[in-house]
Amino acid sequence: MSQENEHVQCLIIGSGPAGYTAAIYAARADLKPVMYTGMVPGGQLTQTTDVENFPGYPDGIMGPEMMEDFRKQAERFGTQVRFGHVSKVDFSSTPHKVIIDEEKTVTADTVIIATGASAKWLGLESEQKYNGFGVSACAVCDGFFFKGQDVAIVGAGDTAAEEATYLAKLCKKVHMLVRRDEFRASKAMQNRVLNTPNIEIHYNTDTEEILGDGKNVTGVKVKNNLTNETKVLDITGFFVAIGHNPNTEIFKGILDMDETGYLITQADSTKTNIPGVFACGDAQDKLWRQAVTAAGTGCMAALEAERYLAAAEHGSH
Ligand code: NDP
């Protein structure tokens, strides 16, 4: 493809439920949207198995299959879906500039940010070393590989509780590592964990090191943070479920965000602090983080982009 600059009316960054829904609406409004998928086309849902709570699928659907459906629907109305990573943006003047893979520049009248979020890690060297060889941040993606084995999961929020009960169905035993003396998860989720006989909860427990034989995980060294007592749990799988970080690094210093990096949008709107730039999905929502809520804000972003362009045409900006 030529490296010449290209101009579009509506550029969508990210390809999860928010990005694709924005694309469907923008394409049907004839904004001729161009989408850059990011490094994980389809987003976080491509790393899950069954999705049972998205309306319209009475029997449930696999996450990757659902995202294929989203893509097809967006393309059906003319969205150009391109694999590429937005490496830099310049929103200091109009049209807005977006740099793809550090080489191609696209200018856009409107930009819809749907970059989503990624799993947080503990930050241990051993965690990195064994990532993919026993260490995982997605129980529903990788739990299957540990069928009948002993595993550990770190975290005490709703995600950790949900994933622990999921793992308990597959694995012989699940050690749950909780850093305080209580859960953050909702009472209902906690009760599910407490009522699952093969989950052992270790309160006031920190992860010191993930142990392995150089190839695969063989155990985890944990420390009781009240007594400083350490012990090794024999496990073959280690799951991290301690929350997510929004993928908003490239917008730092450009767009308003909260202290944890979530983009701030105006009330009842997807408008950011820059006119013509809209944010939707998990990049701006740390509360709900559901496929259906992300899709809802994606729809809002496209409708707001359409209104912005119509107003610009009538000279009201
Ligand atoms: P949360 O931020 O709610 O929880 C993160 C958990 O990880 C906390 O228990 C926290 O401990 C723990 N943690 C963080 N850092 C570390 C660390 N370095 N070492 C050990 N533990 C650590 O994230 P979730 O992903 O669980 O949930 C995010 C949001 O999504 C929440 O609002 C949740 O309610 C929602 N959600 C809802 C679901 C549902 O309703 N079915 C399912 C999944 C998520 P501490 O408590 O000590 O801070």
Side-chain angles (χ1 to χ4, degrees):
M1 190 185 284
S2 113
Q3 296 306 307
E4 279 165 31
N5 286 3
E6 178 186 9
H7 182 76
V8 300
Q9 280 184 81
C10 179
L11 184 87
I12 299 169
I13 313 176
S15 54
Y20 277 129
T21 306
I24 292 163
Y25 274 77
R28 296 189 80 249
D30 209 21
L31 306 189
K32 302 183 174 53
V34 168
M35 170 191 280
Y36 281 93
T37 59
M39 299 316 280
V40 186
Q44 290 184 88
L45 275 172
T46 58
Q47 295 166 358
T48 62
T49 51
D50 281 307
V51 179
E52 296 185 329
N53 54 8
F54 199 90
Y57 294 102
D59 302 318
I61 183 162
M62 302 301 273
E65 202 183 325
M66 184 166 106
M67 294 324 295
E68 270 298 291
D69 285 349
F70 271 63
R71 183 183 56 77
K72 284 183 201 150
Q73 195 172 351
E75 285 182 336
R76 180 180 154 208
F77 298 110
T79 306
Q80 278 192 47
V81 179
R82 301 176 185 167
F83 181 76
H85 172 70
V86 172
S87 45
K88 201 174 170 213
V89 295
D90 178 356
F91 297 154
S92 61
S93 57
T94 51
H96 301 303
K97 280 197 198 70
V98 172
I99 318 291
I100 317 297
D101 295 325
E102 286 168 22
E103 49 182 42
K104 182 183 162 83
T105 300
V106 178
T107 56
D109 296 324
T110 60
V111 177
I112 295 178
I113 297 167
T115 47
S118 307
K120 274 189 197 165
W121 296 96
L122 292 171
L124 300 170
E125 216 175 282
S126 49
E127 175 187 51
Q128 255 186 5
K129 180 172 174 189
Y130 290 108
N131 191 359
F133 300 92
V135 174
S136 164
C138 180
V140 282
C141 323
D142 300 323
F144 179 79
F145 302 116
F146 303 94
K147 231 175 177 172
Q149 301 172 32
D150 288 1
V151 299
I153 182 164
V154 57
D158 281 326
T159 304
E162 202 167 72
E163 299 204 337
T165 44
Y166 176 85
L167 288 169
K169 287 191 202 128
L170 292 169
C171 303
K172 196 156 101 217
K173 175 152 193 175
V174 179
H175 295 278
M176 193 163 184
L177 313 178
V178 176
R179 67 178 173 182
R180 291 184 293 138
D181 61 355
E182 60 177 2
F183 277 84
R184 180 179 293 274
S186 62
K187 273 279 175 289
M189 296 299 292
Q190 279 184 47
N191 286 339
R192 263 202 229 174
V193 170
L194 296 168
N195 291 327
T196 306
N198 60 338
I199 299 178
E200 184 181 340
I201 303 162
H202 303 258
Y203 290 104
N204 295 112
T205 297
D206 294 333
T207 306
E208 289 261 285
E209 209 59 70
I210 295 151
L211 309 171
D213 57 11
K215 265 176 118 179
N216 297 301
V217 169
T218 56
V220 59
K221 188 177 167 196
V222 296
K223 183 172 93 175
N224 182 303
N225 54 35
L226 294 179
T227 62
N228 280 339
E229 204 181 301
T230 60
K231 65 180 167 188
V232 170
L233 305 171
D234 292 329
I235 49 140
T236 49
F238 185 83
F239 292 89
V240 182
I242 60 170
H244 290 79
N245 279 323
N247 300 322
T248 56
E249 198 62 32
I250 52 168
F251 308 112
K252 268 203 178 127
I254 299 171
L255 294 179
D256 289 346
M257 50 181 78
D258 72 8
E259 66 291 347
T260 51
Y262 284 90
L263 297 174
I264 295 173
T265 48
Q266 292 175 21
D268 301 323
S269 168
T270 60
K271 287 179 188 158
T272 66
N273 54 305
I274 305 271
V277 178
F278 305 89
C280 52
D282 285 11
Q284 57 87 53
D285 171 24
K286 63 175 164 188
L287 195 55
W288 308 107
R289 300 179 45 245
Q290 301 301 301
V292 69
T293 51
T297 55
C299 159
M300 284 166 65
L303 293 175
E304 289 193 289
E306 187 188 352
R307 284 185 195 173
Y308 172 88
L309 289 168
E313 207 170 292
H314 294 105
S316 54
H317 281 306

